[in-house]
Amino acid sequence: MSYRPERVAHELKVEIGDIIARRLHDPRVGFATITDARVSPDLRHARIYVSVFGTPQQQQETIAALNHAAGFIRRALGSRLRLRRSPELTFTFDQSVEYGDRMARLIEEVNKESSELNS
C-alpha cells in the first residue's frame, strides 16, 4: 500500500491554496479555501475541494473560475512540485463547512429549547 497519493494530495492542497491567494488575479474568485485534495493512485487526476464564502451564485462563479484557471494552476504546480507529470485538476464545491455550520446551529437550537423546558 502506497502513501504517495496522500502525500501528493497534501502538497497540492498547500500549493494550490498559495497559488490562488498570491498568483491568481481573477475577480470571479471570491474568498476560497482549499479544504481537501484527493489524488488518483496513478497521480494523473486530482479533485480539489473548495469552500467558498458568499452567496450560492458567488460560489458557482468561483468554482467555474477555478476550473477555467486549472491549466494556469497546473503549470504553476509543475514548477513548484517535483513530479514527472502534474495532475489534471478538477475543482469541486465542498459543502462540509456549510453542513457543519448547519448542524452546530441545530444543536444550539435543541440545547436552547431543552434549557427552556428545564427552567
Side-chain angles (χ1 to χ4, degrees), residues 57-108:
Q57 180 182 0
Q58 290 171 328
Q59 293 168 348
Q60 290 175 350
E61 288 175 0
T62 297
I63 296 300
L66 289 172
N67 279 315
H68 181 74
F72 169 79
I73 296 169
R74 186 177 181 190
R75 279 189 302 279
L77 283 172
S79 65
R80 292 176 177 221
L81 300 178
R82 294 181 52 125
L83 295 173
R84 182 173 297 159
R85 192 177 275 145
S86 294
E88 197 171 310
L89 304 174
T90 304
F91 291 91
T92 304
F93 181 66
D94 186 5
Q95 297 178 349
S96 64
V97 175
E98 289 180 355
Y99 181 77
D101 184 50
R102 181 172 174 263
M103 288 294 120
R105 282 186 276 128
L106 288 173
I107 291 170
E108 185 178 311

Side-chain angles (χ1 to χ4, degrees), residues 34-78:
I34 306 300
T35 57
D36 196 15
R38 306 264 169 92
V39 179
S40 65
D42 63 359
L43 306 178
R44 290 183 183 253
H45 302 281
R47 182 171 301 272
I48 310 301
Y49 293 91
V50 182
S51 175
V52 181
F53 182 75
T55 65
Q57 180 182 0
Q58 290 171 328
Q59 293 168 348
Q60 290 175 350
E61 288 175 0
T62 297
I63 296 300
L66 289 172
N67 279 315
H68 181 74
F72 169 79
I73 296 169
R74 186 177 181 190
R75 279 189 302 279
L77 283 172

